[in-house]
Amino acid sequence: MADTGTLETRGSDFAKLARQIQDAGLLDRRPVYYAVRLTLVLAAYVGMWALFWWVGDSWWQLLVAVALGVASAQIGFVAHDLGHRQVFRTRRVSDVVGLLIGDFGIGLGWGWWNTKHNRHHANPNHEDEDPDVSPAVIVWSTDQVRRSRGLPRFIAKWQAFWFFPLLTLEAWHLHIASVKAVFAPTTKHRRMEGALLLAHFACYFGIVFTVLPIGMALVFVLVHQGLFGVYLGSTFAPNHKGMPILTKADKLDYLRKQVLTSRNVKGGVFVDVALGQLNYQIEHHLFPNMPSPNLRKAQPIVRQYCADLGVSYLETGLFASYGQALRHLHEVGAPLR
């Protein structure tokens, strides 16, 4: 829990920062960047499927499965930017492209994910309101441990050791949640999403089980989907896990709520590409519609502004961020040990 007693909560603080960011032009669209990025990512994804067809009945397909897992996650990063309206000016175009590459391309429900992710952005790391820290299997706070029952309680005891193995199931969790959302009456475009998801899974399993014998096909699917889930989970875990968990008792203004619950990850261009530039999580949470290539430019402005206000701004290396997240999970499960 954040120490709210020592924090200033002046609502104008974010407005002053926003003016600096706006004056620097960092909220302007980057159409050329996204045209190139989307072309490269889609070319890589389609190219992996062409390679799959060319390799045929061979255990070398496991290398293709690994590469396809990486390409699938990179498409997910672009879909994330589309969901935040970073790419196109209009919602309609963003939705059309998002539905195509999300539902049909990688089998993830566009409407369901956007709704869930927007709830996360509104209340990051909030014990009751952020769906990303809801106690589904992993528990994130000692209070959740006390309330846990069944599988979450069993896992929580040693959940730091379970965390990465469980990520191999993350892609399946996302697929299943996407399909379930199609049957929810509150889901927009659910007929369209249902048709696109059905087309994705029909094409995916149809191609894999046509080209490969059943045993090899099953291993290919497990490797592809397992790595896809680990990659996505390993990208999002450094951003908030191990940071303060907020409750209803915490009364923070927008700037502090976003900064104090987020963590940036250092590492240069390689980490930027590998994490879809979500390693600038503080800047992304403050300005979710900022095009991702501008986040690096916004960082020194935000970091200095937080220093001037005396607001804690955390930035660490990739492996150190995993260490912080895993230590937090281990400490949360301590009462059960």
Side-chain angles (χ1 to χ4, degrees):
M1 181 186 297
D3 182 6
T4 57
T6 63
L7 298 176
E8 297 178 347
T9 55
R10 292 168 295 179
S12 61
D13 285 343
F14 175 72
K16 295 175 183 177
L17 175 61
R19 283 195 292 272
Q20 291 187 38
I21 294 296
Q22 182 72 53
D23 292 343
L26 297 178
L27 298 179
D28 296 344
R29 295 291 193 281
R30 296 288 298 274
V32 175
Y33 165 84
Y34 276 111
V36 173
R37 180 178 173 186
L38 188 56
T39 299
L40 291 176
V41 168
L42 290 177
Y45 186 69
V46 173
M48 287 304 102
W49 280 114
L51 181 62
F52 172 86
W53 190 269
W54 180 76
V55 171
D57 183 355
S58 168
W59 285 106
W60 287 106
Q61 290 285 20
L62 296 187
L63 295 180
V64 178
V66 170
L68 193 59
V70 173
S72 299
Q74 288 290 332
I75 286 184
F77 297 154
V78 175
H80 167 273
D81 289 6
L82 284 163
H84 284 296
R85 316 301 176 197
Q86 297 175 16
V87 184
F88 300 106
R89 292 187 180 278
T90 66
R91 179 182 296 271
R92 181 178 179 83
V93 177
S94 299
D95 285 344
V96 169
V97 178
L99 285 166
L100 288 174
I101 70 172
D103 290 79
F104 179 68
I106 56 177
L108 299 186
W110 172 252
W112 164 78
W113 184 85
N114 271 326
T115 300
K116 170 181 174 292
H117 194 61
N118 287 336
R119 288 173 57 204
H120 158 70
H121 267 266
N123 292 285
N125 265 25
H126 194 288
E127 193 171 56
D128 301 308
E129 299 180 26
D130 182 357
D132 288 354
V133 292
S134 61
V137 177
I138 299 291
V139 293
W140 306 101
S141 71
T142 52
D143 185 58
Q144 289 180 350
V145 167
R146 285 193 295 269
R147 291 185 278 123
S148 65
R149 296 290 183 272
L151 181 61
R153 190 172 184 84
F154 172 78
I155 294 290
K157 189 173 182 179
W158 298 102
Q159 61 184 359
F161 299 95
W162 283 101
F163 183 70
F164 282 105
L166 284 172
L167 287 183
T168 60
L169 303 176
E170 178 64 14
W172 296 109
H173 162 70
L174 296 173
H175 293 317
I176 292 170
S178 298
V179 172
K180 288 173 63 177
V182 171
F183 297 95
T186 55
T187 300
K188 295 181 180 180
H189 314 299
R190 59 186 186 134
R191 290 186 179 179
M192 174 65 72
E193 292 212 56
L196 289 172
L197 287 171
L198 180 62
H200 166 81
F201 292 119
C203 291
Y204 180 81
F205 290 112
I207 292 172
V208 171
F209 283 90
T210 296
V211 173
L212 302 179
I214 186 168
M216 192 181 297
L218 288 172
V219 174
F220 177 91
V221 170
L222 289 175
V223 172
H224 171 219
Q225 297 296 331
L227 181 63
F228 183 21
V230 170
Y231 190 175
L232 286 179
S234 298
T235 298
F236 288 96
N239 300 335
H240 301 282
K241 308 314 179 192
M243 299 301 291
I245 300 291
L246 304 181
T247 68
K248 294 178 180 178
D250 294 299
K251 306 298 181 183
L252 301 179
D253 68 322
Y254 177 80
L255 183 142
R256 288 164 179 79
K257 179 168 62 174
Q258 303 298 339
V259 174
L260 295 175
T261 59
S262 303
R263 177 197 294 115
N264 277 14
V265 177
K266 300 180 290 186
V269 175
F270 174 78
V271 171
D272 288 1
V273 174
L275 301 188
Q277 298 177 97
L278 294 175
N279 47 312
Y280 301 103
Q281 191 68 191
I282 294 173
E283 288 72 29
H284 171 59
H285 259 258
L286 287 170
F287 303 97
N289 63 333
M290 179 185 291
S292 59
N294 290 348
L295 295 171
R296 172 188 280 270
K297 299 176 181 179
Q299 184 189 31
I301 299 174
V302 174
R303 183 169 50 199
Q304 184 59 54
Y305 189 78
C306 288
D308 294 341
L309 288 178
V311 175
S312 176
Y313 179 104
L314 182 57
E315 184 180 23
T316 187
L318 180 61
F319 294 107
S321 71
Y322 291 140
Q324 292 172 14
L326 293 176
R327 282 193 297 273
H328 170 76
L329 291 176
H330 199 57
E331 291 168 1
V332 166
L336 298 180
R337 295 193 297 275

